Amino acid sequence: MINADPQELAKFSDLAHRWWDPDSEFRPLHQINPLRLDWIDSIAPVAGRQVLDVGCGGGILAEAMAHRGARVLGIDLASKPLKVAMLHAMESGCTDVDYREVSAEALAAEATARYDLVTCMEMLEHVPDPASVVRACATLVKPAGWVFFSTINRNPKSFLFAIIGAEYVLDLLPRGTHEYAKFIRPSELARWCRDAGLEVEHTRGMTYNPLTKRYALGADTGVNYLLACRRT
Ligand code: SAH
């Protein structure tokens, strides 16, 4: 059975035509992109690396990594976002990124230890069995290579900020984008990583200030957070 929720994929496909509009539903992804890209690049410089972006959507991060000199494959199971990603890469003359409609698990069954770096951002909270995606990422990365995850914590504060605040009060995201029960505590994600042979080396929180309308990286992992893991 395929590890995907068809309703989740349809949600992203329905909005795909607006993926690169920085004032659309995808505004948060556009705003956080430079922050996460700089963080990734500071830990594992992407230039000249073979990079896999799992759940790449319209390619905001995948293309940005290619622009920094990485050779990137973006994968997703929603076909419309992938088409948008391909078109955008073509239009921006980005030749170092490819896209494929394939699951991380299926790609891992094709080849092991193929990538220097694997990124899987804002995706695990949309998947029925996130631990299976973590295992696939661990299989796909080379020994001593890096895997980066970002997702949303599960606690009363994240319910208030990520669902009530972002979807109902501030209208940053469409209602129904996120489901509380699918949020993942850092300790849970860290356990799946360790079980898959990944060592968690760095953890970072991402916060949003509604007054300045800006995101920032910091120590507060209460809502959005990122992990940098290394294959042992
Ligand atoms: N990682 C991108 C997009 C995040 S949106 C970024 O951060 O910019 C979440 C993405 O996960 C969507 O493109 C959605 O289609 C994808 N997704 C959801 N379930 C998936 C699955 N089971 N396998 C692959 N991609 C999935």
Side-chain angles (χ1 to χ4, degrees):
M1 227 189 63
I2 192 151
N3 179 21
D5 178 343
Q7 280 182 337
E8 290 279 6
L9 301 178
K11 222 158 55 182
F12 289 103
S13 272
D14 287 348
L15 302 171
H17 56 290
R18 289 200 289 276
W19 208 288
W20 282 89
D21 175 353
D23 295 318
S24 71
E25 294 85 347
F26 298 100
R27 184 184 177 87
L29 293 182
H30 287 279
Q31 287 197 307
I32 67 174
N33 205 49
L35 295 175
R36 61 190 185 179
L37 177 60
D38 283 346
W39 189 67
I40 292 168
D41 210 16
S42 72
I43 292 170
V46 302
R49 300 291 174 195
Q50 294 286 335
V51 178
L52 175 70
D53 187 24
V54 176
C56 62
I60 294 174
L61 179 64
E63 202 178 292
M65 292 191 289
H67 281 307
R68 288 222 179 156
R71 173 78 227 161
V72 184
L73 175 68
I75 63 170
D76 204 288
L77 287 177
S79 42
K80 277 196 191 157
L82 281 175
K83 286 199 185 106
V84 167
M86 285 173 204
L87 252 165
H88 194 276
M90 228 162 71
E91 280 171 2
S92 59
C94 184
T95 51
D96 283 325
V97 65
D98 286 312
Y99 294 101
R100 250 183 90 182
E101 190 174 329
V102 63
S103 69
E105 289 91 339
L107 194 64
E110 272 176 29
T112 59
R114 189 191 278 175
Y115 299 94
D116 300 302
L117 231 132
V118 177
T119 53
C120 178
M121 315 303 267
E122 317 301 326
M123 181 266 195
L124 293 174
E125 70 275 19
H126 299 286
V127 172
D129 181 0
S132 160
V133 176
V134 172
R135 282 194 297 275
C137 292
T139 303
L140 285 157
V141 75
K142 292 178 185 172
W146 289 90
V147 184
F148 293 85
F149 296 105
S150 72
T151 188
I152 307 178
N153 205 336
R154 191 176 71 257
N155 55 48
K157 181 179 171 185
S158 72
F159 178 74
L160 196 68
F161 281 61
I163 296 185
I164 304 299
E167 297 182 14
Y168 290 85
V169 181
L170 300 172
D171 271 333
L172 298 173
L173 292 170
R175 292 175 188 187
T177 298
H178 289 120
E179 195 185 315
Y180 179 70
K182 286 189 176 159
F183 288 175
I184 300 164
R185 295 201 181 108
S187 58
E188 294 166 336
L189 183 49
R191 193 182 64 238
W192 299 335
C193 287
R194 279 194 304 275
D195 289 349
L198 297 172
E199 188 107 27
V200 179
E201 302 264 359
H202 306 281
T203 306
R204 216 81 179 106
M206 171 130 23
T207 51
Y208 179 71
N209 181 335
L211 299 176
T212 59
K213 299 191 173 158
R214 288 192 187 284
Y215 292 86
L217 289 182
D220 179 2
T221 57
V223 186
N224 293 85
Y225 66 94
L226 307 94
L227 296 188
C229 312
R230 202 143 200 206
R231 185 83 172 102
T232 52

